[in-house]
Amino acid sequence: ELKVEQNPLFLSMQEGKNYTIYCNYSTTSDRLYWYRQDPGKSLESLFVLLSNGAVKQEGRLMASLDTKARLSTLHITAAVHDLSATYFCAVDFLGETSGSRLTFGEGTQLTVNP
Amino acid sequence: GAGVSQSPSNKVTEKGKDVELRCDPISGHTALYWYRQRLGQGLEFLIYFQGNSAPDKSGLPSDRFSAERTGESVSTLTIQRTQQEDSAVYLCASSLRVASRRTGTDTQYFGPGTRLTVL
């Protein structure tokens, strides 16, 4: 059974600081996704990481993937209040012809304090 | 429409009643997915559709749950004889095509969800 674990689950940080959210998964996966969810809202796709060593950056967020370690990181640089949200990583294992079923981590609730 | 839409946005029902949740995917998206998100938790996969067929129903929690899709468009998730543990946000997502090793991945776009409360 594929398991996805994130840590920390809760993160409170000051504006301007850097921090990293970790996502570990238990079995070989084809794809890793990062999503953002604001309170009461749906999920917004942030990154899709497709191969070992992949790194993607958007603004103050940078995601990386190490498939050998089964680990992805989401690094936050110089946090601002607008980044406060819950961040989910999700992985899928694709069959030869079958569809994707994402397995999600528990989410990391990030609060950036002024 | 611009994105995935779901209705109703909120549903309160009494234990034992049946409920129907609706999802309108992005136009032209052939793949449609249902997930459940319990309070403070990540999403659980329920079922996905490729066109109008559902190759993978293994995520449905019990036989009280069923889903259908017609016209490669709207999908309905039905929960019969609701129980309190069914209370959750039910999220629908769609993607342009069904991802596989042959076709590659395809990002799933999520709707706003239906918050179901079973009293």
Side-chain angles (χ1 to χ4, degrees), chain A residues 64-81:
Chain A
S64 65
L65 178 61
D66 180 344
T67 57
K68 293 179 182 177
R70 296 176 187 164
L71 170 69
S72 179
T73 61
L74 180 66
H75 187 73
I76 303 154
T77 302
V80 293
H81 180 68

Side-chain angles (χ1 to χ4, degrees), chain A residues 30-31 33 35 37 40-43 45 48 50 88 92-107, chain B residues 33 35 37 40-43 45 48 50 56 58-59 91 98-102 104-108 110-113:
Chain A
D30 291 273
R31 308 286 186 268
Y33 303 78
Y35 284 89
Q37 186 177 38
K41 302 287 181 63
S42 192
L43 279 75
S45 175
V48 180
L50 305 180
F88 291 95
D92 67 11
F93 179 78
L94 301 178
E96 195 61 37
T97 56
S98 64
S100 162
R101 51 179 293 175
L102 295 179
T103 301
F104 282 79
E106 310 98 314
Chain B
Y33 308 81
Y35 295 87
Q37 185 177 29
Q41 298 184 19
L43 279 71
F45 170 84
Y48 89 89
Q50 178 175 349
D56 186 357
S58 60
L91 289 157
V98 173
S100 72
R101 287 217 178 104
R102 267 205 254 138
T105 193
D106 212 1
T107 299
Q108 295 179 26
F110 283 80

Side-chain angles (χ1 to χ4, degrees), chain A residues 6-7 13 18 47-48 62 76 86 93 105 112-113:
Chain A
Q6 288 181 235
N7 74 85
M13 55 191 298
N18 304 332
F47 301 108
V48 180
M62 182 173 71
I76 303 154
T86 299
F93 179 78
V112 181
N113 302 305

Side-chain angles (χ1 to χ4, degrees), chain B residues 42-63:
Chain B
L43 279 71
E44 303 170 63
F45 170 84
L46 297 178
I47 189 171
Y48 89 89
F49 287 89
Q50 178 175 349
N52 291 337
S53 65
D56 186 357
K57 301 181 182 179
S58 60
L60 293 177
S62 75
D63 58 8

